Amino acid sequence: MCGGAACTSQISIAVFIEYGNGSYDTYNNFSNAASVHGDGDIWHLGGGILGRMDFMNNAYAEGSFRMGGVKNKYSNADLVGAGGTIAQYKSSSVYSGLHLGTGYILNVNEKGSFDFYGKYFWSRQGGDSLTLSTGDPVDFKAANSHRVRLGGRYSHNFDTAISFYGGAAFEYEFDGKAKATTNGFDIDAPSLKGSTGIGELGLIFTPSTSLPMFIDLGVQGYVGQRRGVTGSLQIKFEF
């Protein structure tokens, strides 16, 4: 065993810019009315800072903080106001979040390794007050999310230019309820509380051995409380 500063092999600090967009569908059922279907688009832009400490015994600890803005555009052709106006709105708010994690890397051979990790995520999306196209006021409350994730990832280096990774994780959401009111009355709040299974596959490219740049292209699938597929593209520079 090693102890104290002798266990520390490397400390890394990075700043990053992030952008994302996606689409979603909503379905609501009522006991005395027909079901309604809505859809929307959402996108965000922000940045943050990431820190990681790698130890001599192949363990590591990491953390990050991020902040930015998110915009949401929603419409529902099944909800119609006076004069045949379709219910729709646009909203914007500020988001922030942090994560803390620790893990252990098990080297299988010179080219392959397993990363076993545990992570905690907190995020907050600010509220917004707006008026629907139908004239109804809506007040969205700030939403907080608390999640823990346990998982593993296998990485394999084919050569100096390309590597592959695949992994799976279990995630549990403790909160994640989005509350809103209209005309002083509460709107039924959707919640993401519960368990989600996550699978991921990806490739990491190194265009040049003389340029400290890495391109990470990945896809993630979700089953359980959260369902869907996302894609990701990360470009990293190391100095």
Side-chain angles (χ1 to χ4, degrees):
M1 293 180 63
C2 62
C7 287
T8 303
S9 60
Q10 183 177 2
I11 298 176
S12 304
I13 298 177
V15 294
F16 60 87
I17 298 173
E18 61 183 9
Y19 168 79
N21 66 74
S23 60
Y24 62 92
D25 292 274
T26 63
Y27 300 90
N28 297 90
N29 297 315
F30 303 95
S31 58
N32 57 350
S35 300
V36 297
H37 169 224
D39 59 82
D41 297 292
I42 189 168
W43 58 96
H44 72 271
L45 176 65
I49 185 169
L50 168 70
R52 173 166 166 146
M53 180 179 293
D54 291 277
F55 302 97
M56 297 282 260
N57 59 0
N58 289 344
Y60 65 88
E62 64 181 22
S64 69
F65 177 79
R66 56 181 17 97
M67 179 174 285
V70 58
K71 293 183 180 295
N72 185 22
K73 180 180 179 181
Y74 176 79
S75 65
N76 194 318
D78 293 332
L79 294 176
V80 181
T85 303
I86 295 174
Q88 55 186 356
Y89 67 81
K90 295 181 181 180
S91 69
S92 61
S93 58
V94 174
Y95 73 87
S96 58
L98 62 81
H99 104 275
L100 299 171
T102 185
Y104 178 80
I105 297 176
L106 175 64
N107 293 315
V108 179
N109 49 47
E110 292 183 355
K111 293 188 175 182
S113 63
F114 283 99
D115 179 359
F116 301 98
Y117 60 83
K119 299 181 180 182
Y120 164 76
F121 299 88
W122 169 81
S123 62
R124 174 183 173 87
Q125 182 173 324
D128 190 18
S129 297
L130 52 87
T131 301
L132 295 177
S133 56
T134 57
D136 298 299
V138 178
D139 183 21
F140 290 100
K141 307 299 182 182
N144 289 278
S145 171
H146 299 272
R147 294 174 288 142
V148 293
R149 183 184 300 174
L150 300 174
R153 171 192 280 190
Y154 174 75
S155 299
H156 186 88
N157 298 319
F158 291 107
D159 51 43
T160 58
I162 186 171
S163 62
F164 160 85
Y165 64 85
F170 168 81
E171 183 176 277
Y172 187 81
E173 169 69 66
F174 291 93
D175 195 356
K177 182 171 289 188
K179 299 179 180 180
T181 61
T182 178
N183 294 308
F185 296 97
D186 291 334
I187 299 174
D188 286 342
S191 174
L192 293 175
K193 183 177 181 179
S195 304
T196 299
I198 305 172
E200 62 172 349
L201 293 172
L203 292 172
I204 299 177
F205 302 93
T206 306
S208 172
T209 56
S210 61
L211 182 65
M213 182 177 75
F214 305 88
I215 301 175
D216 186 339
L217 183 64
V219 60
Q220 302 82 36
Y222 303 85
V223 294
Q225 186 64 24
R226 289 193 293 149
R227 298 184 295 272
V229 177
T230 62
S232 61
L233 171 64
Q234 298 183 50
I235 301 177
K236 305 176 185 178
F237 292 89
E238 292 187 355
F239 303 96

